[in-house]
């Protein structure tokens, strides 16, 4: 239909990865603070192995914000949807750049 370029994710991928990493680190800091000071459930707290371990491992098993399971929401909605859309975008860009779709992209998407 020509409404927009399907390969746009391929074109903006480096900047998008930087923005997603910055958001991820900030979001994890917020979840760390929430888990230590405002836990949702009883399965929370510091592990005793240090700040860095707790930051990456997490302080709550199932963090919830406004009744929404954050772990399930991020993994199932954003991550899996992005994987599918990025696969389509990268396949399209492979076709427009090389005249064919790279088999490696088909296998990973």
């Amino acid at each position: 239909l020509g409404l927009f370029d399907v390969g746009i994710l391929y074109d903006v991928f480096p900047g998008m990865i930087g923005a997603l990493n910055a958001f991820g680190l900030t979001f994890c800091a917020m979840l760390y603070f929430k888990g230590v000071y405002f836990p949702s459930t009883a399965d929370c707290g510091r592990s005793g192995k240090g700040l860095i371990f707790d930051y990456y491992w997490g302080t709550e098993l199932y963090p919830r914000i406004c009744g929404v399971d954050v772990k399930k929401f991020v993994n199932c909605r954003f991550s899996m949807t992005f994987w599918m859309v990025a696969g389509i975008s990268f396949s399209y860009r492979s076709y427009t750049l090389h005249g064919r779709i790279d088999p490696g992209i088909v296998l990973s998407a």
Side-chain angles (χ1 to χ4, degrees):
L1 297 171
L3 298 175
F4 65 95
D5 184 18
V6 178
I8 190 72
L9 288 180
Y10 176 87
D11 298 334
V12 299
F13 193 67
M16 187 172 48
I17 288 299
L20 289 172
N21 275 308
F23 172 77
L25 291 170
T26 305
F27 190 61
C28 286
M30 185 206 62
L31 287 176
Y32 175 82
F33 180 80
K34 182 206 166 299
V36 171
Y37 297 106
F38 306 102
S40 306
T41 59
D43 58 355
C44 62
R46 296 182 177 138
S47 67
K49 296 181 181 179
L51 174 73
I52 294 174
F53 181 86
D54 287 342
Y55 177 80
Y56 286 106
W57 192 263
T59 54
E60 286 185 282
L61 187 56
Y62 300 106
R64 300 181 80 77
I65 297 176
C66 297
V68 176
D69 185 348
V70 175
K71 192 185 301 185
K72 187 185 298 183
F73 184 71
V74 169
N75 286 338
C76 296
R77 297 291 181 221
F78 293 120
S79 302
M80 293 178 144
T81 301
F82 178 77
W83 190 355
M84 179 190 66
V85 172
I88 292 169
S89 178
F90 279 51
S91 297
Y92 175 78
R93 186 57 72 215
S94 174
Y95 182 75
T96 59
L97 291 175
H98 308 293
R100 64 182 178 85
I101 297 176
D102 185 22
I105 292 176
V106 173
L107 294 174
S108 67

